[in-house]
Amino acid sequence: MGSEMVMVDGIAFPPEIAAAKPLALLGHGINDIEIHFLQIKFTAIGVYLEKEVVKHLVKWKGKKGSELKVDEEFFETLVSAPVGKLLRIVVIKEIKGSQYGTQLESAVRDRLAAVDKYEEEEEESLEKVVEFFQSKYFKKESVITMNFPTAPQTAEASTSPAEGPNLITFATEGKEEAKIQVGNANVAEMIQKWYLGGTSAISPTTVESLAENLAQLLSQ
């Protein structure tokens, strides 16, 4: 893959991110939103995974990317695979963080409700995430990082062992980096599915790229 930056709509993504086990950029794309009947490019997305994710996907060895991108079971297995995952989301079109928070809230709540997992704990956890974004302003090139490590605790997560390992970070120019833990595993899973959920995911271009790259890794 080399160490050259990967350009996604003019935004640079490193091909690898250092973690307990290196995370490789295995999918990228953009997310459009509709504003006043116009499709606006909103964010560029990079999906980073441990390469050993393929060990959990051997059932799909020999499949083409075009087949994988519409295979719901494939993406279910990908999300549940016990490997580190990181989403790097870079803002292209500036908006209020509350608009993003509202999108995230309805996407996650609907997914939880569909599988009968939207209980009080999930509601509270999701509310905290939505509140985290309420006060933010998404300037162009602000970065949201969603880190879903496998270990029960990571060095960067927090000094408090009581808190969960799933971490959302928001970085924007001129402000200190802000972080929030996602303590509820069901909420963390559905945030992942919002981005990695196959045909129902927020960015078809990202899913297609992920399917093509994983098909290639599986064919090796």
Side-chain angles (χ1 to χ4, degrees):
M1 225 167 184
S3 58
E4 282 180 23
M5 287 291 198
V6 177
M7 301 306 290
V8 182
D9 214 76
I11 290 168
F13 283 79
E16 195 170 271
I17 286 178
K21 291 180 182 172
L23 299 170
L25 179 62
L26 293 183
H28 54 76
I30 56 163
N31 159 221
D32 294 347
I33 49 172
E34 194 178 286
I35 300 176
H36 304 306
F37 306 106
L38 290 172
Q39 286 301 120
I40 307 286
K41 287 175 186 174
F42 169 40
T43 57
I45 300 159
V47 179
Y48 291 84
L49 302 166
E50 289 174 25
K51 280 196 173 170
E52 65 187 51
V53 69
V54 292
K55 290 179 186 170
H56 304 277
L57 303 170
V58 286
K59 179 179 169 182
W60 289 273
K61 197 173 177 63
K63 295 275 188 189
K64 293 178 183 154
S66 55
E67 294 172 283
L68 295 183
K69 74 175 183 181
V70 292
D71 189 326
E72 297 306 319
E73 192 194 342
F74 174 76
F75 286 99
E76 281 278 340
T77 308
L78 175 67
V79 169
S80 61
V83 298
K85 305 174 191 77
L86 184 143
L87 301 170
R88 181 180 164 85
I89 302 150
V90 184
V91 177
I92 299 171
K93 166 78 179 165
E94 57 182 66
I95 64 163
K96 291 175 182 164
S98 56
Q99 287 173 272
Y100 178 79
T102 302
Q103 275 195 353
L104 182 145
E105 182 179 30
S106 62
V108 171
R109 188 182 55 222
D110 291 352
R111 281 168 171 76
L112 286 167
V115 291
D116 220 12
K117 285 184 180 174
Y118 191 57
E119 305 291 337
E120 207 171 304
E121 282 176 26
E122 282 74 22
E123 188 177 358
E124 278 175 24
S125 178
L126 183 55
E127 257 172 37
K128 283 179 189 166
V129 176
V130 175
E131 274 170 26
F132 172 77
F133 286 116
Q134 287 292 341
S135 58
K136 310 288 182 282
Y137 188 74
F138 284 24
K139 287 185 193 167
K140 187 173 164 57
E141 295 187 359
S142 300
V143 179
I144 305 153
T145 307
M146 298 186 175
N147 192 12
F148 304 99
T150 45
Q153 187 60 21
T154 64
E156 69 155 340
S158 170
T159 50
S160 163
E163 291 182 317
N166 300 308
L167 193 71
I168 295 176
T169 310
F170 178 76
T172 191
E173 197 187 354
K175 293 252 174 107
E176 201 176 319
E177 193 174 76
K179 297 182 179 187
I180 184 172
Q181 297 273 355
V182 185
N184 183 288
N186 290 331
V187 170
E189 179 193 351
M190 295 310 173
I191 292 174
Q192 290 179 63
K193 285 189 174 173
W194 190 33
Y195 281 97
L196 309 175
T199 53
S200 66
I202 191 172
S203 166
T205 51
T206 305
V207 165
E208 191 168 342
S209 160
L210 197 52
E212 289 293 342
N213 287 331
L214 286 169
Q216 201 176 340
L217 278 178
L218 282 163
S219 69
Q220 288 168 12

